[in-house]
Amino acid sequence: MVEQELIRAAQQGDRDALITLLREIETHVYRTAYYILNNEQDALDAAQEALIRVYTKINSYEEKAQFKTWVQRIVTNICIDKFRRSKPTVSIEEHELVFQGKESVEREVMSGYIAEDIREAIDQLPEHHRSVVVLRYLQDFSYNEIADCLNLPLNTVKSYLFRARQQLQHLLQDYQKGGVSG
């Protein structure tokens, strides 16, 4: 949680307070962008754009909503706009595994496959379902915070999450049966 005094100081023109504030939120902003866009370069671009927007629009923040909700709304909207403007691309990521012992090698490899399969399943969700899943399960937002962030009624958020969980359950059914898709 970002301290309100820091926000007020940033709104009053304290450059150091604003820089501190941006540093506190940059990881969360990038993480949200990455999980929505599923592409490192696009996520970096979206995160940078979101941080610039927070920097330039800090005075428009009102204490009606939590600061993190306001920031997540900004980054989510930027990501949705980016997603609409371009077709999703497949990202080839380089993963470097650090092997500490023979027992952990298999666990590391399987963990990487599972994480990638979950990321791919989330990527297959419609954009409105993907956004609520990212905010709820990856950013740990409450239903009310998601509703505020995405400017949606609370029941719509609940409905989107319910449908998204059903879709993910279907997409990841091999794991529920004890197998791994390959």
Side-chain angles (χ1 to χ4, degrees), residues 22-83:
L22 292 172
R23 286 193 177 132
E24 285 184 14
I25 63 172
E26 68 183 338
T27 301
H28 298 290
V29 167
Y30 171 77
R31 189 178 309 142
T32 298
Y34 182 78
Y35 281 113
I36 291 174
L37 298 170
N38 198 29
N39 178 291
E40 184 176 353
Q41 192 58 50
D42 289 344
L44 287 169
D45 291 346
Q48 181 179 13
E49 187 175 338
L51 291 171
I52 290 170
R53 194 162 302 163
V54 169
Y55 179 85
T56 59
K57 303 286 186 182
I58 189 71
N59 289 325
S60 69
Y61 168 70
E62 299 172 3
E63 293 182 27
K64 295 176 187 173
Q66 289 185 2
F67 184 73
K68 74 174 187 173
T69 303
W70 181 74
V71 170
Q72 290 299 328
R73 178 180 295 163
I74 290 172
V75 70
T76 302
N77 287 340
I78 288 170
C79 290
I80 289 171
D81 289 345
K82 259 188 172 320
F83 190 75

Side-chain angles (χ1 to χ4, degrees), residues 29-168:
V29 167
Y30 171 77
R31 189 178 309 142
T32 298
Y34 182 78
Y35 281 113
I36 291 174
L37 298 170
N38 198 29
N39 178 291
E40 184 176 353
Q41 192 58 50
D42 289 344
L44 287 169
D45 291 346
Q48 181 179 13
E49 187 175 338
L51 291 171
I52 290 170
R53 194 162 302 163
V54 169
Y55 179 85
T56 59
K57 303 286 186 182
I58 189 71
N59 289 325
S60 69
Y61 168 70
E62 299 172 3
E63 293 182 27
K64 295 176 187 173
Q66 289 185 2
F67 184 73
K68 74 174 187 173
T69 303
W70 181 74
V71 170
Q72 290 299 328
R73 178 180 295 163
I74 290 172
V75 70
T76 302
N77 287 340
I78 288 170
C79 290
I80 289 171
D81 289 345
K82 259 188 172 320
F83 190 75
R84 286 181 182 150
R85 283 193 302 255
S86 66
K87 294 182 180 178
T89 59
V90 176
S91 164
I92 299 174
E93 299 176 35
E94 295 180 21
H95 295 285
E96 185 176 310
L97 294 176
V98 178
F99 301 113
Q100 296 178 355
K102 292 181 182 179
E103 308 83 43
S104 66
V105 172
E106 184 177 344
R107 186 174 34 241
E108 286 273 341
V109 171
M110 288 309 295
S111 176
Y113 284 133
I114 292 168
E116 185 62 29
D117 286 347
I118 290 171
R119 188 178 340 222
E120 286 176 9
I122 291 171
D123 197 39
Q124 291 178 41
L125 296 174
E127 95 183 36
H128 55 282
H129 288 172
R130 184 178 325 124
S131 296
V132 295
V133 165
V134 167
L135 292 174
R136 177 69 183 134
Y137 298 110
L138 302 175
Q139 296 292 344
D140 201 30
F141 272 41
S142 70
Y143 288 11
N144 288 327
E145 290 171 330
I146 296 169
D148 287 344
C149 182
L150 297 177
N151 202 22
L152 294 171
L154 182 60
N155 285 337
T156 301
V157 169
K158 290 178 181 179
S159 174
Y160 284 178
L161 279 169
F162 177 78
R163 289 188 183 117
R165 282 191 299 263
Q166 284 181 320
Q167 290 171 318
L168 288 172

